[in-house]
Amino acid sequence: MKQETKVFKENLIIQAAETVFRKMGFKNAKMEEIAFEAGITKVTLYTYFQSKENLYMALTYKAFHRLLDGYYASIEKNKHKSGLESSLALMETSMNFFANNFLYSEALLDYFNTVRSSDSGQNKSKLTEAINQSLYFNKLQDIHNLPFKLNFKEIERGKQDGSILSQLDSMLITLQGWSMVTGFAKILSASGNTVKPLFNIDLNELKNITLITGKALLLEKGK
Amino acid sequence: MKQETKVFKENLIIQAAETVFRKMGFKNAKMEEIAFEAGITKVTLYTYFQSKENLYMALTYKAFHRLLDGYYASIEKNKHKSGLESSLALMETSMNFFANNFLYSEALLDYFNTVRSSDSGQNKSKLTEAINQSLYFNKLQDIHNLPFKLNFKEIERGKQDGSILSQLDSMLITLQGWSMVTGFAKILSASGNTVKPLFNIDLNELKNITLITGKALLLEKGK
Amino acid sequence: MKQETKVFKENLIIQAAETVFRKMGFKNAKMEEIAFEAGITKVTLYTYFQSKENLYMALTYKAFHRLLDGYYASIEKNKHKSGLESSLALMETSMNFFANNFLYSEALLDYFNTVRSSDSGQNKSKLTEAINQSLYFNKLQDIHNLPFKLNFKEIERGKQDGSILSQLDSMLITLQGWSMVTGFAKILSASGNTVKPLFNIDLNELKNITLITGKALLLEKGK
Amino acid sequence: MKQETKVFKENLIIQAAETVFRKMGFKNAKMEEIAFEAGITKVTLYTYFQSKENLYMALTYKAFHRLLDGYYASIEKNKHKSGLESSLALMETSMNFFANNFLYSEALLDYFNTVRSSDSGQNKSKLTEAINQSLYFNKLQDIHNLPFKLNFKEIERGKQDGSILSQLDSMLITLQGWSMVTGFAKILSASGNTVKPLFNIDLNELKNITLITGKALLLEKGK
DNA sequence: GATGAATGAGATTTCATTCAT
DNA sequence: AATGAATGAAATCTCATTCAT
């Protein structure tokens, strides 16, 4: 099969999987139904993705790349603006991504949950055989630090151009930013896939205040 | 069976479950093994906890109470201090809790993921029958807003006593605080259950900066 | 489960398997249908017999014991008769067994086909993993020479009591006897499970002439 | 495609099949591997032979003709000898054939097993669709009685020329001869494809005694 | 209340066979 | 005619959960 054809079909299947996962959740989704949705047989589905978990990892991989694309676009768009503005734009990009892509958001959060400590090689027992053998899982492990690195670079740039005043370690700031974004995503995911009020709070307000807090962090002079 | 005996045995089982979940993760844990760990049979296990998910909910319920206990203790301890100090102490309490109780931390985050939008009644379909029937799940739903409410109260007190300057909606601040704490927990969980450096960042530093950021939030005057 | 219960159920299942195998042949028989016939689930079926092939081996094992029972009964019945008569009775017993139990007959012939050279350890590749792991297959290997040994003993007795005149090696005679019986069974199985004419020959005639030939063999004086 | 080319390729494939069947046995042999061995693809394999069973039938057909060739050669060679000698030569021919061609031997025995009662039209259900449609299977059915007929003729000739004394029905004798030969083949196949001792019996001895027994059968005067 | 056995639902695998190009 | 991809049918396995005693 020509490469394009293969990739095309893989995408077709992933889309079908997204549809079914969205409707049923990962656990209740049936491979049979995903195959049906994709218009192929179970066996063919297994030819492309060797396990349900690998399929989910493929979806996660796609989600990750979408997020990354957003990062690159944001950085490109703000390359003539200050490092501060670019950094905040990255935060906003992330939050929008999580707010607009419920399934992807969950997949990414799941991934970071799964991958925990597998860097360090311990606790491998928590990883299913299927996960360990997943091509996409392994690909993800190779790139999952990229967002941090991109963010880090923009913060450094901000320090250079004087727009970011914080004396804190750039990686520390990056992590704290990611932490806030992650927290936001978590709350989002806990409040459903449609942006709607939670305790009478509009999630947009929460996004804004997260940005404001982030900005404060970047401008924080004292230790 | 006398009530104490029953409770005693339940706790025994939950402890066994904790051991197994810690080792294998929820998904990979087998009821068989939990029963074995508790020294009983699977069926007896089912007599006490009607489903794997209910068992997990029981564990979550326990975790939730631990967290709540920390909240109450913190509030009590800081009742003569300012609302600002008390609020920050609550943040710290949460972070310490998450940092020191990896399994509980995951359980609580999972719970808030699961409970998503079940407030609003939609998406019930994604909740398993087992979850819906879980006594502990239902008990949790009755109290899961308590931390927010306690936090809210301390913030309000801070506004009263002038220690908190922010004009933002107290619930918004509460949520933002929770978001930051959640993000912190997420990063923790993604970096393993032992506090250890991530990108050369000590998690204590991350905790500190989260607190600092939180403090900035509470003192933020402008909009 | 008490041993008797277990054995009882195993027999129940084997009977169901016999029914289905008889109707569909081994290859076309479905585990699902055998389970249904036995009034249990597929999974339970697999609990008792780990593979379709193992189930067939269990059936073969049973068949083998039926044959053996016939041998013992025949020997017992003829213990006061001459070794010649007992030997011929054994031949007749075998032929009747094959003539009356089509499925068992096929199973035994299949077995001796399968087992070929596995004694010598070579050609293991022809044995499925499932076969190799089959308890019944291994049990069969321990006893599959018994009929030969029993036959051998009667021939020796015949030589002692003077009823058998042949100077040929007793084991050679045994094998030749088995060969004739096997050939008979093969022709039977090739002519259907009901005794009926083949080339206008009634199978009873064939049996008789086989016996006559066998008798000639035992009385053969010259080399 | 020119006829010769086609036949050439068919033979090529059959040889590949023989190699694989010899190594794995019919059941465990995979069409994929046969195709690979023949240096073609699976689909091409299917172009030539429409099913695995048909391929096996083609092989069987070839085996059958080899056996027949042996019969004709034996008869030709002994046409000036007595019917008795010719008949015994046929037995020996068969046994040698079986002893020297393990795979063919199995194929032929399988065939006679498969064809069972399809003469009589019943039990057709056990014949696969594939078998029924097999050209080679149908060709075989047209000739599978030939060996019996040839044998029958030599026995009749022996009765004419006085070399065979038996008063038994010639077809009955033929069948009994076939039965003994078949039994011999079966034992061979159960003892591996190399002639080697079984219970310390050399298979040549077994062949000899089978011949002796056969001779006794033909000379048997009484009923 | 405890136990061993059984169930049900779905994941995964294996291959002979067929389709589309 | 040849190829790579796909199908279909059934075997097998894994576990949470339930039944019968």
Side-chain angles (χ1 to χ4, degrees):
Chain A
M1 207 192 267
K2 273 175 295 180
Q3 195 57 31
E4 321 99 65
T5 316
K6 192 181 161 202
V7 168
F8 178 75
K9 196 131 195 188
E10 277 176 5
N11 283 329
L12 199 76
I13 294 173
I14 292 176
Q15 293 218 356
E18 288 181 20
T19 305
V20 178
F21 285 152
R22 239 186 286 275
K23 191 164 33 150
M24 322 289 289
F26 174 73
K27 192 178 167 193
N28 297 292
K30 291 172 216 156
M31 291 300 265
E32 186 86 53
E33 188 170 346
I34 292 171
F36 179 78
E37 180 76 29
I40 57 175
T41 341
K42 229 190 333 176
V43 181
T44 306
L45 174 54
Y46 272 92
T47 306
Y48 282 88
F49 300 93
Q50 295 63 41
S51 68
K52 196 180 176 185
E53 279 179 305
N54 184 33
L55 179 54
Y56 192 52
M57 282 301 140
L59 190 162
T60 306
Y61 184 71
K62 177 180 169 188
F64 201 85
H65 271 293
R66 289 283 166 87
L67 178 62
L68 267 183
D69 289 348
Y71 267 53
Y72 284 119
S74 171
I75 288 168
E76 174 67 19
K77 192 170 161 193
N78 292 286
K79 70 179 169 192
H80 300 309
K81 300 217 177 124
S82 71
L84 172 67
E85 283 168 298
S86 183
S87 297
L88 289 173
L90 280 179
M91 269 188 101
E92 191 164 11
T93 294
S94 306
M95 287 192 285
N96 286 336
F97 179 84
F98 286 134
N100 298 324
N101 302 280
F102 176 67
L103 186 62
Y104 291 171
S105 164
E106 279 215 315
L108 291 176
L109 292 178
D110 281 350
Y111 170 72
F112 281 109
N113 233 37
T114 304
V115 83
R116 64 177 278 284
S117 75
S118 84
D119 292 313
S120 49
Q122 46 175 95
N123 275 87
K124 280 278 186 192
S125 66
K126 270 192 214 167
L127 297 181
T128 329
E129 192 50 19
I131 287 263
N132 259 317
Q133 290 181 352
S134 164
L135 173 63
Y136 290 102
F137 178 68
N138 287 301
K139 278 169 120 180
L140 273 165
Q141 288 192 272
D142 293 337
I143 58 170
H144 71 206
N145 287 335
L146 264 182
F148 300 106
K149 287 183 181 153
L150 294 174
N151 211 149
F152 178 85
K153 230 187 279 178
E154 292 309 290
I155 289 171
E156 287 280 293
R157 182 160 76 79
K159 282 181 175 173
Q160 299 284 310
D161 68 24
S163 61
I164 291 178
L165 304 174
S166 172
Q167 300 302 304
L168 294 165
D169 180 281
S170 297
M171 189 41 89
L172 182 56
I173 299 173
T174 300
L175 264 187
Q176 173 66 11
W178 180 255
S179 165
M180 290 194 290
V181 164
T182 295
F184 175 78
K186 205 64 189 147
I187 283 181
L188 263 185
S189 107
S191 59
N193 49 352
T194 52
V195 177
K196 71 182 170 33
L198 180 70
F199 300 114
N200 293 317
I201 299 299
D202 187 293
L203 290 173
N204 271 316
E205 288 184 73
L206 189 59
K207 186 168 81 183
N208 286 331
I209 196 165
T210 302
L211 281 172
I212 290 170
T213 315
K215 186 170 182 182
L217 173 68
L218 293 167
L219 296 178
E220 177 76 20
K221 258 172 306 206
K223 170 79 192 207
Chain B
M1 198 193 269
K2 272 175 297 181
Q3 195 56 28
E4 320 98 68
T5 316
K6 191 181 161 202
V7 168
F8 177 74
K9 198 138 191 185
E10 277 176 5
N11 282 328
L12 198 76
I13 294 173
I14 291 177
Q15 294 226 350
E18 289 182 17
T19 304
V20 177
F21 286 151
R22 236 187 286 275
K23 193 162 31 139
M24 320 291 289
F26 174 70
K27 197 186 158 185
N28 297 284
K30 288 169 210 151
M31 291 300 265
E32 186 85 57
E33 190 169 345
I34 293 171
F36 179 78
E37 181 78 28
I40 58 176
T41 43
K42 242 192 318 181
V43 183
T44 307
L45 173 54
Y46 272 89
T47 308
Y48 286 89
F49 299 92
Q50 294 65 41
S51 69
K52 193 181 177 185
E53 281 177 307
N54 185 34
L55 177 55
Y56 193 49
M57 282 302 140
L59 190 162
T60 306
Y61 184 72
K62 177 180 167 188
F64 202 86
H65 272 293
R66 289 280 168 86
L67 179 63
L68 266 184
D69 288 348
Y71 266 52
Y72 284 119
S74 172
I75 288 167
E76 174 66 21
K77 194 170 160 195
N78 292 287
K79 70 178 168 194
H80 300 308
K81 301 220 178 117
S82 71
L84 173 67
E85 283 169 299
S86 182
S87 297
L88 289 173
L90 281 179
M91 267 190 101
E92 190 165 13
T93 294
S94 307
M95 287 192 285
N96 285 337
F97 179 83
F98 287 138
N100 297 324
N101 301 282
F102 174 68
L103 186 62
Y104 292 170
S105 160
E106 279 211 318
L108 291 176
L109 293 181
D110 281 350
Y111 170 72
F112 281 110
N113 232 36
T114 303
V115 82
R116 121 168 60 100
S117 75
S118 81
D119 291 314
S120 51
Q122 49 173 93
N123 276 87
K124 278 277 186 192
S125 67
K126 271 193 213 165
L127 292 181
T128 330
E129 191 52 16
I131 286 262
N132 263 318
Q133 288 180 353
S134 163
L135 172 64
Y136 291 103
F137 178 69
N138 287 301
K139 279 169 120 178
L140 273 165
Q141 287 192 276
D142 293 339
I143 59 172
H144 72 208
N145 287 335
L146 263 181
F148 300 105
K149 287 182 180 154
L150 294 174
N151 209 150
F152 180 87
K153 228 188 278 177
E154 292 311 290
I155 288 172
E156 287 280 294
R157 182 160 76 78
K159 282 183 175 170
Q160 298 285 312
D161 67 24
S163 61
I164 291 178
L165 305 174
S166 173
Q167 300 303 305
L168 294 165
D169 181 280
S170 296
M171 187 42 89
L172 182 57
I173 299 174
T174 300
L175 262 189
Q176 172 67 8
W178 180 256
S179 166
M180 289 194 291
V181 163
T182 294
F184 173 80
K186 208 58 193 145
I187 283 182
L188 264 184
S189 100
S191 59
N193 50 353
T194 51
V195 177
K196 69 185 168 37
L198 180 69
F199 300 114
N200 293 316
I201 299 298
D202 187 293
L203 290 173
N204 271 315
E205 288 183 73
L206 189 60
K207 186 168 81 185
N208 286 333
I209 195 161
T210 302
L211 281 171
I212 290 169
T213 314
K215 187 168 179 182
L217 173 69
L218 293 168
L219 297 178
E220 176 76 20
K221 258 171 305 201
K223 170 80 193 201
Chain C
M1 204 194 268
K2 271 174 297 179
Q3 195 56 30
E4 320 99 66
T5 317
K6 193 183 160 201
V7 168
F8 178 75
K9 196 132 195 187
E10 277 176 4
N11 283 328
L12 198 77
I13 294 173
I14 291 176
Q15 292 218 356
E18 288 181 20
T19 304
V20 178
F21 285 152
R22 238 186 287 275
K23 193 164 32 150
M24 323 287 290
F26 174 73
K27 188 171 172 201
N28 297 292
K30 293 174 215 157
M31 290 301 265
E32 188 84 56
E33 188 169 347
I34 293 171
F36 179 78
E37 180 77 28
I40 58 175
T41 341
K42 231 190 330 178
V43 181
T44 307
L45 175 54
Y46 273 92
T47 305
Y48 283 87
F49 299 93
Q50 295 64 40
S51 68
K52 196 180 176 185
E53 280 180 303
N54 185 33
L55 179 54
Y56 192 53
M57 282 301 140
L59 191 162
T60 306
Y61 185 72
K62 177 180 167 189
F64 201 86
H65 272 293
R66 289 282 166 87
L67 177 63
L68 267 184
D69 288 348
Y71 266 54
Y72 284 119
S74 171
I75 289 167
E76 173 67 20
K77 194 171 160 195
N78 293 285
K79 70 178 169 192
H80 300 308
K81 299 216 177 123
S82 70
L84 172 67
E85 284 168 298
S86 183
S87 298
L88 289 173
L90 281 179
M91 268 189 100
E92 191 165 11
T93 294
S94 307
M95 288 191 286
N96 286 336
F97 178 83
F98 288 135
N100 297 324
N101 302 282
F102 177 66
L103 186 62
Y104 291 171
S105 164
E106 280 215 315
L108 291 177
L109 292 178
D110 281 351
Y111 169 72
F112 281 109
N113 234 39
T114 304
V115 82
R116 64 178 279 285
S117 76
S118 85
D119 293 312
S120 49
Q122 45 174 97
N123 275 85
K124 280 278 187 195
S125 67
K126 274 194 211 164
L127 297 180
T128 329
E129 192 50 20
I131 287 263
N132 259 318
Q133 289 180 352
S134 164
L135 173 63
Y136 291 102
F137 178 68
N138 287 301
K139 278 169 121 180
L140 273 166
Q141 289 193 272
D142 293 338
I143 59 170
H144 71 206
N145 287 334
L146 263 182
F148 301 106
K149 287 182 181 152
L150 294 174
N151 210 151
F152 178 87
K153 229 187 278 177
E154 293 311 289
I155 289 172
E156 288 279 294
R157 183 161 74 80
K159 283 181 174 173
Q160 299 283 310
D161 67 25
S163 62
I164 291 177
L165 305 174
S166 173
Q167 300 303 306
L168 295 165
D169 181 281
S170 297
M171 187 43 89
L172 182 56
I173 299 173
T174 301
L175 265 187
Q176 173 67 9
W178 180 255
S179 165
M180 289 193 290
V181 163
T182 295
F184 174 79
K186 208 57 192 153
I187 284 182
L188 263 185
S189 105
S191 58
N193 50 351
T194 51
V195 177
K196 70 185 167 37
L198 181 70
F199 300 114
N200 293 315
I201 299 299
D202 186 294
L203 290 172
N204 271 315
E205 287 182 73
L206 189 60
K207 186 169 82 185
N208 286 333
I209 195 163
T210 303
L211 281 172
I212 290 169
T213 315
K215 187 169 179 183
L217 173 69
L218 294 167
L219 296 178
E220 177 77 19
K221 258 172 306 204
K223 171 80 191 205
Chain D
M1 200 191 269
K2 271 173 298 178
Q3 193 56 29
E4 320 97 69
T5 317
K6 192 180 162 204
V7 168
F8 177 75
K9 199 138 192 184
E10 277 176 5
N11 283 329
L12 198 76
I13 294 174
I14 291 177
Q15 294 226 349
E18 289 183 19
T19 305
V20 178
F21 286 152
R22 236 185 287 275
K23 193 162 32 145
M24 320 291 289
F26 174 71
K27 197 186 158 184
N28 297 284
K30 289 167 208 154
M31 291 300 265
E32 186 85 56
E33 191 170 343
I34 293 171
F36 179 78
E37 180 77 29
I40 57 176
T41 42
K42 240 192 319 180
V43 183
T44 307
L45 173 54
Y46 272 89
T47 307
Y48 285 89
F49 299 93
Q50 294 65 41
S51 70
K52 193 182 178 186
E53 281 177 307
N54 185 33
L55 178 54
Y56 193 50
M57 282 303 140
L59 190 163
T60 306
Y61 184 72
K62 177 179 168 186
F64 202 86
H65 272 294
R66 289 281 167 87
L67 179 63
L68 267 184
D69 289 348
Y71 266 53
Y72 284 119
S74 172
I75 289 168
E76 173 68 19
K77 195 170 159 194
N78 292 285
K79 69 179 169 191
H80 300 308
K81 299 212 178 130
S82 71
L84 172 69
E85 282 168 300
S86 182
S87 296
L88 289 173
L90 282 179
M91 268 189 100
E92 190 164 11
T93 294
S94 306
M95 288 192 285
N96 286 337
F97 179 83
F98 288 138
N100 297 324
N101 301 282
F102 174 68
L103 186 62
Y104 292 170
S105 161
E106 279 211 317
L108 290 177
L109 293 181
D110 281 351
Y111 170 73
F112 282 108
N113 232 38
T114 304
V115 82
R116 122 168 57 100
S117 74
S118 80
D119 292 312
S120 52
Q122 51 175 89
N123 275 88
K124 278 278 187 193
S125 66
K126 270 193 213 162
L127 291 182
T128 331
E129 192 52 18
I131 286 262
N132 264 317
Q133 289 181 352
S134 163
L135 173 64
Y136 291 102
F137 178 68
N138 287 303
K139 278 169 122 181
L140 273 165
Q141 287 193 277
D142 292 339
I143 59 171
H144 72 208
N145 287 334
L146 264 182
F148 301 103
K149 286 180 182 157
L150 293 174
N151 210 151
F152 179 86
K153 228 186 282 178
E154 293 310 290
I155 289 172
E156 287 281 294
R157 184 161 73 82
K159 283 182 176 172
Q160 299 284 312
D161 67 25
S163 61
I164 292 177
L165 306 175
S166 173
Q167 299 304 305
L168 294 165
D169 180 280
S170 296
M171 188 42 91
L172 180 57
I173 299 174
T174 300
L175 262 188
Q176 172 67 8
W178 180 256
S179 165
M180 289 194 293
V181 164
T182 295
F184 174 79
K186 205 66 191 141
I187 284 182
L188 265 184
S189 101
S191 59
N193 48 354
T194 51
V195 177
K196 70 183 165 39
L198 180 70
F199 301 115
N200 293 316
I201 299 299
D202 186 290
L203 290 173
N204 271 315
E205 289 183 73
L206 189 59
K207 187 169 80 185
N208 286 333
I209 195 163
T210 302
L211 281 172
I212 290 169
T213 315
K215 188 169 179 182
L217 173 68
L218 294 168
L219 296 179
E220 177 77 20
K221 258 169 303 200
K223 170 78 192 205

